[in-house]
Amino acid sequence: MKKLAILLSLAFIMMNQSCNSTDEEIDLQGNNVFELQYINAGMSGEIIKKKDLDFNEFIEFSSDNRFVKRRVYPDSTSIVQGSYLLIQSEDSKYYEFEYEEDSYLIQNCGSSLKEHISILNNNEIFNGGYLPCDGPGFGYILVN
């Protein structure tokens, strides 16, 4: 019976530690990697989960205000990069990306080399740049 009590106590402590770690503030201008988790298909409201996509996508932030976006397919990888600014106001926080060159990975309705990524919370960002023109939105989770 003592062994069971010790085992349950250890399990509780481990679960409590893992729950507490998600409440920590992330360094919004540090080295972070976000991974695509879902695509909001636009006006249809359909959510396409990562497991149902034929690619994966990552956005890596560097502390020198640079970013790299990678889209990884089974047989190839597309990479684009640029610089970012962290924009904060009373009601919102977002990243403004400026790409070095044009790419199909830039998610906006026009031909601009800029993109805006909303910061939803400490672990999630969302790119809704295509939503005004009935395109998809991309949801990412912090992985590192």
Side-chain angles (χ1 to χ4, degrees):
M1 191 63 151
K2 275 188 176 181
K3 289 181 183 179
L4 181 60
I6 291 172
L7 198 59
L8 288 173
S9 296
L10 286 173
F12 175 76
I13 290 169
M14 288 173 49
M15 286 180 8
N16 193 27
Q17 290 295 328
S18 66
C19 290
N20 289 343
S21 65
T22 60
D23 293 338
E24 294 176 13
E25 288 284 323
I26 62 168
D27 179 2
L28 295 174
Q29 290 196 260
N31 295 316
N32 295 307
V33 177
F34 287 83
E35 181 178 13
L36 180 66
Q37 297 299 304
Y38 65 90
I39 294 178
N40 175 331
M43 289 184 68
S44 72
E46 180 185 3
I47 301 295
I48 304 166
K49 295 182 180 180
K50 177 176 98 169
K51 67 180 178 66
D52 297 322
L53 298 171
D54 63 349
F55 66 90
N56 201 357
E57 190 168 283
F58 300 89
I59 301 174
E60 182 175 346
F61 293 86
S62 298
S63 58
D64 63 353
N65 288 60
R66 305 278 305 152
F67 73 90
V68 175
K69 185 188 285 187
R70 287 181 181 82
R71 185 170 288 181
V72 180
Y73 292 94
D75 59 350
S76 66
T77 299
S78 297
I79 298 173
V80 67
Q81 58 189 345
S83 59
Y84 72 89
L85 291 173
L86 174 63
I87 312 290
Q88 298 185 69
S89 68
E90 284 185 26
D91 20 334
S92 67
K93 283 191 252 185
Y94 63 92
Y95 295 108
E96 180 180 86
F97 284 6
E98 182 154 3
Y99 288 87
E100 293 176 352
E101 59 189 43
D102 195 19
S103 169
Y104 75 96
L105 295 177
I106 300 174
Q107 299 160 356
N108 63 38
C109 292
S111 59
S112 171
L113 295 180
K114 290 192 176 184
E115 191 177 72
H116 294 102
I117 312 288
S118 299
I119 300 169
L120 302 179
N121 59 47
N122 292 336
N123 298 310
E124 295 178 78
I125 60 175
F126 184 78
N127 185 346
Y130 283 140
L131 291 175
C133 50
D134 192 26
F138 294 75
Y140 303 83
I141 298 288
L142 179 68
V143 293
N144 184 21

